[in-house]
Amino acid sequence: MGEPLIECEVDTCTHWMSGNLCSAANIDILHEEEGRMAQSDAHTECKSFARKKGLANLLGSMDNVNWGGVVSSLFTPGQQINPSVSCIVNSCHFWADGNLCEADRIKVTGRGANECQDTNCATFENKA
């Protein structure tokens, strides 16, 4: 299975692009509280979030940009940019060995977020 398609509403992130695309090379989905298993999407976060605020912050997040995907999307509007996904939220129905996500799509929410704790993986489904 390939990487899930990413839909991201976090418009305050340096990786957010118009059309709710994510320009990150990799996104990391974690439990919001270390040591506590997520029971709902509110207990998850996108740890790859980097707040847009000035040139220094932008340059600091450049090491996680999917340059090939960004350039392709400029020439083919609407083309998906598929970051790789690492997910340690093993209480999720879509989690697989190797910290992989088996969902076809991942939706990251948190419009107006100031920090990664303000973001969520809306795709989360509790295994229980």
Side-chain angles (χ1 to χ4, degrees):
M1 177 176 178
E3 295 294 338
L5 297 177
I6 308 298
E7 176 186 353
C8 180
E9 297 179 347
V10 187
D11 57 353
T12 52
C13 181
T14 59
H15 299 297
W16 181 86
M17 291 179 61
S18 179
N20 288 339
L21 300 176
C22 178
S23 68
N26 183 71
I27 65 169
D28 297 313
I29 305 294
L30 283 77
H31 300 281
E32 191 170 64
E33 291 184 45
E34 193 172 331
R36 291 190 65 195
M37 299 299 277
Q39 301 300 311
S40 72
D41 67 331
H43 300 148
T44 64
E45 67 183 15
C46 178
K47 191 65 174 173
S48 303
F49 172 82
R51 177 135 174 94
K52 285 184 211 177
K53 59 177 181 187
L55 186 58
N57 182 260
L58 178 63
L59 293 175
S61 64
M62 295 294 247
D63 65 330
N64 190 26
V65 173
N66 180 347
W67 291 107
V70 170
V71 171
S72 292
S73 74
L74 293 175
F75 293 105
T76 311
Q79 177 175 330
Q80 282 291 323
I81 304 170
N82 292 353
S84 62
V85 178
S86 299
C87 178
I88 67 161
V89 185
N90 58 358
S91 57
C92 180
H93 169 76
F94 298 109
W95 180 89
D97 286 335
N99 292 330
L100 301 175
C101 179
E102 293 186 335
D104 292 331
R105 296 180 159 276
I106 294 176
K107 183 174 184 177
V108 179
T109 58
R111 191 172 305 281
N114 288 309
E115 55 191 13
C116 59
Q117 293 89 339
D118 298 333
T119 66
N120 299 114
C121 178
T123 306
F124 175 88
E125 287 183 22
N126 199 332
K127 278 184 183 178

